[in-house]
Amino acid sequence: RGHRPVVVSEVPVYVALEDRDGRRFEDKGSCQYVKYRWMRGPVIEPCFFHPHKMSQIKDVAKTYNHYCSRECFLRGWHHLGQHQWGKKPETDGYEEMLGEWTQVASTRQYCPSQNDINRPLRMDIIPLTKDGRECVNGMMSITTGTVIPTPKEARMRQMISNGGQFNAEWLSKQFKVMNWNILADLYATENVYPYCEKWALSWNWRKHLIIKELKS
């Protein structure tokens, strides 16, 4: 809840179910009595001063920008030049579709796309009866923060040669040895690494980078 998903990195999900006998188990998408649904919410623009934060306030009277806090709003109201103001709505009756949610998937897993940027995602977990009907009363929903674009990757590391040159002929006869100190999820927490963004600590994101490196 509140986690900000990243484009091309699967949203980390763990679903634990309990049967009538009190036995608990993890559902990886095979339980026939549970239905999953992913919904995409309305656009929530980032803060003008803090692009990494979701906005909570929009100035609809002067600057027409988005802000994450009262302090940012007052800073923008008093100090922003007119050339930094946002675009004024074409109509006086400014209105947003706050309830605009669209289904994007019906699977347990979901990997955000470019269309999800600056939009929250909601995962609905819906129990089903034996005849396949939805039990709305037992439904649970989890909403994420807004999706962020794929971050810029670090500069490509230079390979060091112990004699010889790196050309196509040389590379075709060689193999690469790679080694990573993979941090376990148990230790990849915000408490241990408070200076690191939550999405960067996610194993799904770190796994994506490792697989990309292996394929390169």
Side-chain angles (χ1 to χ4, degrees), residues 56-72:
Q56 303 292 333
I57 303 171
K58 178 168 184 180
D59 179 1
V60 296
K62 181 180 178 181
T63 67
Y64 305 102
N65 285 325
H66 296 77
Y67 306 101
C68 65
S69 65
R70 178 176 178 271
E71 290 73 21
C72 284

Side-chain angles (χ1 to χ4, degrees), residues 158-171 174:
Q158 296 294 324
M159 297 182 68
I160 301 175
S161 171
N162 185 17
Q165 296 180 348
F166 290 112
N167 52 42
E169 182 180 358
W170 186 89
L171 290 173
Q174 310 299 319

Side-chain angles (χ1 to χ4, degrees), residues 1-2 13-14 38 121-125 140-144:
R1 189 182 301 272
V13 174
Y14 179 87
W38 284 93
L121 298 174
R122 189 184 75 216
M123 181 188 188
D124 296 333
I125 305 173
M140 175 180 286
S141 297
I142 301 174
T143 304
T144 71

Side-chain angles (χ1 to χ4, degrees), residues 3 9-10 12 180-185 188 198-211:
H3 169 76
S9 179
E10 184 179 297
W180 284 276
N181 180 15
I182 300 176
L183 186 65
D185 280 347
K198 189 174 182 179
W199 57 262
L201 294 173
S202 167
W203 167 242
N204 282 348
W205 171 249
R206 293 186 285 132
K207 177 181 68 175
H208 161 74
L209 295 180
I210 293 174
I211 292 176

